[in-house]
Amino acid sequence: MSRKENDTTPVQPKPRLNNASRIEAYTQPAGGWGALFSVVRNLKQQQILSKGSITLLNINQPTGFDCPGCAWPEKHDAEHLFNFCENGAKAVAFEATSKQVTADFFAAHTVSWLAEQSDYFLEDSGRLTQPLRYDAATDQYLPISWEAAFDLIAQHLQALEHPDQAAFYTSGRTSNEAAFLYQLFVRSYGSNNFPDCSNMCHEATSYALTQSIGHGKGTVTLEDFEHADAVFSFGHNPGTNHPRMLSTLRAVSKRGGTIIAINPLKERGLERFQDPQAPLEMMSNRSTPISKYYFQPCIGGDYAILFGMLKHLIEWDHAAVAVGKASVFDRDFIAQQTVGFEAMLAEIERTQWSAIHARTGLSATQLQALAQLYLDADRAILCWGMGITQHRHGTANVHMLANLALARGQIARQGAGLCPVRGHSNVQGDRTMGINEHPSTNLLDQLDRVFDMQAPRQHGLGVVATINAMAEDRVKVFIALGGNFAVATPDSVYTQAALRRCQLTVHVATKLNRSHLVCGREALILPCLGRTEVDLQTHGPQAISVEDSMSNIHLSAGRNPPTSSDLLSEPDIVARMAAATLPNSTIQWRWYVESYDRIRDAIAEVFPDFHDFNARVYPSGGFHLTHPANQYRWNTPSAKAQFIIAPLEEVYADPESQFADAFVASKVYTLMTIRSHDQYNTTLYGLDDRYRGVYGQRQVLFMHAEDIQAAGFTAQQWVDIESIYSDGVKRIIHGFLIVPYNIPRSSLAAYYPETNPLVALLSHDPHAKIPASKSVPVILHPVAAPTAQTSSEENAVAQTGEPLAP
Ligand SMILES: Nc1nc2c(c(=O)[nH]1)N[C@H]1C(S)=C(S)[C@@H](COP(=O)(O)OP(=O)(O)OC[C@H]3O[C@@H](n4cnc5c(=O)[nH]c(N)nc54)[C@H](O)[C@@H]3O)O[C@H]1N2
Ligand SMILES: Nc1nc2c(c(=O)[nH]1)N[C@H]1C(S)=C(S)[C@@H](COP(=O)(O)OP(=O)(O)OC[C@H]3O[C@@H](n4cnc5c(=O)[nH]c(N)nc54)[C@H](O)[C@@H]3O)O[C@H]1N2
Ligand SMILES: [Mo]
């Protein structure tokens, strides 16, 4: 089969090889002194040691600001004086940095020059300080007044033939107040085009849980972890991505609860943890084992595993009932609260064990042991992350997790339930506020009633559809409230070419990133306040609100003076954009921003769950949104919880596999794209991945030792990685060092976003449309080791080596 070359040169990250690069197995527990040292090093690097400690003391405190690091809820009690973790502290240090990018910086560098620098360089240059407009003649960003910037946006939006020719991206750190105004603006303007970072993240969760239990959110609270017999962790890496969750898991482990990890990689944080906030543990250098059981399936094996666990339960149920014992299933719960149970049983019974075992990557004994652990747990919590959602069968995976919980009545019971572990600190809140390309009719009706408007009924575009629409000139204006769209999205070459076709691209941001350099014909950068900064409006300093992964709403207020006097807050930017674009609107956009209490009052009018929002959110701790399922209210078409199952063969029918057959001569592997310990999504804090033993470099490929040998690779083998999809486009990235690793055979792992050029846009979940960035079919080409090329900023990061623990 012939393969066409991509018309543009693929993004080829430079090899990041330098003197400090090394691979060295990590033998310590997660957390511990390494975590504390890393915090200090990052504060030093961002030049904020003096204000740093004050800033950190305010993280996640009732009177401080919400940590932008992740969405894990915080605990407010005497034991938790510091409610932050190593990676939260890094995120804060990166925002509270005293480094700045000023007009001088942009006068000195063309956009083409900046585009050649690394992502690390761009963000490390410092905070944005004034609004900027791209000048094509000089290829530079030049200062522009706020007023002129909003006029330019208004001019472009007003000139479009249809509002659906614009798309409005949101990254999940945006506050409830900004998100609410943003969706109100976009719907007043006339579109539901809301591509959102959750389209690449937990969309499968929201989509599937809405179908299964009538509401797309998790059902547990932190308290449930105090009562659970067992916690199952499917496909997430809390040691790096939700370090505060390790304290919760540590407590479960300490009181004798069972933690079971299901993850192809042996992740350190899921094995042992030394809590930097537990003085005794730190002084004595002890640690707490986390997972009692660790199962290592092949990438994508989870659907078959969950299917198989249910098949074991069915067989045990038959056996129990035959001898007059109680059913394995919660028959009362199933009869009263659910539909579809019998159909699910029939589908599973019809499926042969051999078909199931062929897909799990576990032995039959392991699968049975896992099912037994689930049966033994009277109260079980099922947690999951990107290892479950970022597959073509992400939605099917989440349906199956819900099936497992429902079959044993593990919902609406203390100490049990479903726990999707969300990423961005307010990604759940943004959805609650209506950032949704598929809005419910109820939401649109409420908006119409409260604001006397006519919200558009036509559903809008998510991330994948937006990229295609830009490529086909159906979307011409792209506006982003935060994030790094050009880098976080799949198929970087195609996506960046699509962005460049736009008439106008606008980025509201705190830090310079690559998306700002992928300009439409015209482009704006609008710098905004960050979480740590005082947000002063007409009625005084304002707080914003966020919703964590367990539906707790609370306030966040910054304490630091703004990095520049020319920054606006996100709600203010949205309001001014709306006022400029919609001069005839009856909504008093800028009046809302004088006091965010007014925005919260409007939110309370639209969403009944938010009644008395201000009165309930000011007392410290805020309030909790009750999950309807916990009250046996199921907002599904049947008004019951629904068992939903897809045949195993259908779920694993891979449209790419026929194409892969054309590569029988090459070994086809499955690659997962994951986060290192020193990054926040596309923001790189450094080049180390401490728990995986990688230092001073990111272009590594984790591979099983026997696969390395079978491929005939030598020690210190370098490879190019090429993905293979049915569209025949050649996608390849160059110069990755193979690292022998504890990962199943045929499964590979490498870091996101360096690997994003490999992920084809067409490879996504057909329902939730999430790019399948955890299952990329790839082949490897051995190449010679790159010559050491060290750029100064990479060296600077790499040389700040890890201090030794005392
Ligand atoms: N410090 C830091 N914190 C973060 C982020 C960050 O980048 N840095 N990002 C934030 C965001 S937006 C998100 S969404 C979360 C992401 O947090 P995670 O969900 O932990 O995301 P990943 O690093 O992508 O890791 C996915 C995990 O899934 C496993 N995995 C991969 N494929 C499979 C599979 O097929 N089956 C199973 N069972 N496991 C699999 C991988 O081995 C890895 O441990 O973290 C949030 N918090
Ligand atoms: N291959 C692959 N691709 C993935 C993933 C993967 O696992 N593998 N994960 C996906 C996931 S889970 C997600 S959530 C997406 C993330 O996608 P995004 O949310 O788009 O990306 P981030 O890297 O989190 O965005 C970082 C930028 O946000 C801006 N920023 C930071 N703080 C603020 C603020 O307070 N206000 C504003 N306005 N801007 C701010 C800064 O300019 C910074 O450069 O990536 C997805 N892409
Ligand atoms: Mo995410």
Side-chain angles (χ1 to χ4, degrees), residues 235 237 241 262-263 267 300 302 386 391 675 679 681 774:
N237 182 21
N241 297 321
I262 300 94
N263 195 317
E267 300 283 24
D302 307 83
M386 298 300 99
H391 290 286
R675 291 153 172 81
Q679 73 183 86
N681 296 340
K774 291 287 185 275

Side-chain angles (χ1 to χ4, degrees), residues 316-561:
W316 292 331
D317 185 64
H318 288 324
V321 173
V323 297
K325 287 199 194 156
S327 170
V328 157
F329 298 113
D330 189 336
R331 296 281 174 180
D332 288 345
F333 178 87
I334 292 167
Q336 287 158 23
Q337 307 294 341
T338 72
V339 295
F341 186 63
E342 294 305 324
M344 180 187 77
L345 291 191
E347 181 55 37
I348 294 176
E349 290 196 286
R350 176 192 81 73
T351 308
Q352 301 291 319
W353 272 116
S354 57
I356 297 171
H357 288 310
R359 294 288 183 179
T360 61
L362 300 179
S363 70
T365 320
Q366 286 171 327
L367 179 59
Q368 179 168 348
L370 182 56
Q372 184 72 48
L373 285 166
Y374 186 64
L375 179 67
D376 290 346
D378 190 33
R379 287 169 291 185
I381 294 179
L382 304 177
C383 303
W384 70 93
M386 298 300 99
I388 285 293
T389 60
Q390 293 176 333
H391 290 286
R392 276 180 294 264
H393 56 281
T395 299
N397 274 341
V398 180
H399 281 150
M400 219 52 179
L401 285 162
N403 291 343
L404 198 60
L406 291 170
R408 299 254 306 144
Q410 297 279 10
I411 286 179
R413 184 198 294 186
Q414 191 181 47
L418 298 170
C419 180
V421 184
R422 304 259 172 190
H424 268 300
S425 52
N426 197 40
V427 65
Q428 186 163 316
D430 290 344
R431 271 283 194 258
T432 306
M433 290 297 108
I435 301 292
N436 194 332
E437 70 276 25
H438 301 299
S440 67
T441 312
N442 185 38
L443 167 68
L444 301 176
D445 289 347
Q446 286 287 80
L447 291 173
D448 288 358
R449 182 183 62 79
V450 174
F451 295 98
D452 192 17
M453 61 188 272
Q454 275 169 341
R457 261 52 188 174
Q458 168 82 21
H459 281 191
L461 307 174
V463 163
V464 168
T466 295
I467 295 169
N468 282 323
M470 291 190 296
E472 292 159 15
D473 299 328
R474 285 180 283 116
V475 160
K476 300 171 180 190
V477 173
F478 176 82
I479 296 180
L481 197 53
N484 191 356
F485 190 87
V487 179
T489 45
D491 234 344
S492 318
V493 175
Y494 178 78
T495 299
Q496 296 184 11
L499 273 165
R500 287 201 167 87
R501 299 188 71 84
C502 286
Q503 289 167 359
L504 175 71
T505 50
V506 179
H507 294 277
V508 178
T510 49
K511 291 284 202 82
L512 181 65
N513 66 39
R514 190 161 303 284
S515 296
H516 310 158
L517 310 173
V518 182
C519 303
R521 207 173 320 144
E522 298 209 74
L524 291 170
I525 303 176
L526 306 180
C528 67
L529 293 171
R531 284 255 173 101
T532 56
E533 290 166 319
V534 175
D535 180 353
L536 194 61
Q537 303 295 342
T538 313
H539 288 209
Q542 302 296 314
I544 52 103
S545 68
V546 292
E547 175 179 343
D548 66 32
S549 206
M550 294 181 188
S551 308
N552 303 302
I553 315 285
H554 62 96
L555 288 179
S556 166
R559 298 274 189 92
N560 292 344

Side-chain angles (χ1 to χ4, degrees), residues 77-113:
D77 56 31
E79 232 186 276
H80 291 78
L81 181 59
F82 309 103
N83 244 316
F84 64 91
C85 66
E86 174 193 355
N87 281 346
K90 286 187 209 160
V92 169
F94 246 58
E95 178 187 302
T97 178
S98 43
K99 300 183 191 174
Q100 293 191 330
V101 280
T102 58
D104 291 347
F105 174 91
F106 289 101
H109 304 303
T110 62
V111 167
S112 313
W113 184 87

Side-chain angles (χ1 to χ4, degrees), residues 755-767:
T755 43
N756 286 44
L758 295 178
V759 185
L761 198 62
L762 60 87
S763 178
H764 58 255
D765 181 319
H767 310 286

Side-chain angles (χ1 to χ4, degrees), residues 68-71 85-88 90-91 172 197 200-202 233-243 261-267 270 294-303 305 384-391 393 397 421-425 427 670-683 685 692 743 748-749 752 773-775:
C70 76
C85 66
E86 174 193 355
N87 281 346
K90 286 187 209 160
C197 75
M200 302 179 270
C201 183
H202 263 294
S233 152
F234 281 90
H236 68 122
N237 182 21
T240 286
N241 297 321
H242 305 88
I262 300 94
N263 195 317
L265 285 185
K266 261 289 169 65
E267 300 283 24
L270 287 165
Y294 208 115
F295 295 89
Q296 288 183 274
C298 58
I299 293 175
D302 307 83
Y303 190 79
I305 288 174
W384 70 93
M386 298 300 99
I388 285 293
T389 60
Q390 293 176 333
H391 290 286
H393 56 281
N397 274 341
V421 184
R422 304 259 172 190
H424 268 300
S425 52
V427 65
T670 305
L671 171 75
M672 58 159 98
T673 64
I674 53 173
R675 291 153 172 81
S676 79
H677 195 65
D678 270 1
Q679 73 183 86
Y680 193 88
N681 296 340
T682 67
T683 301
Y685 305 127
R692 299 196 188 103
I743 184 173
L748 302 173
Y752 136 76
S773 47
K774 291 287 185 275
S775 45

Side-chain angles (χ1 to χ4, degrees), residues 5 34 137 150 280 315 371 553 573 626 661 736 761:
E5 288 282 335
F150 292 123
L280 268 180
E315 292 185 354
I553 315 285
I573 291 175
T626 308
D661 285 347
F736 282 69
L761 198 62

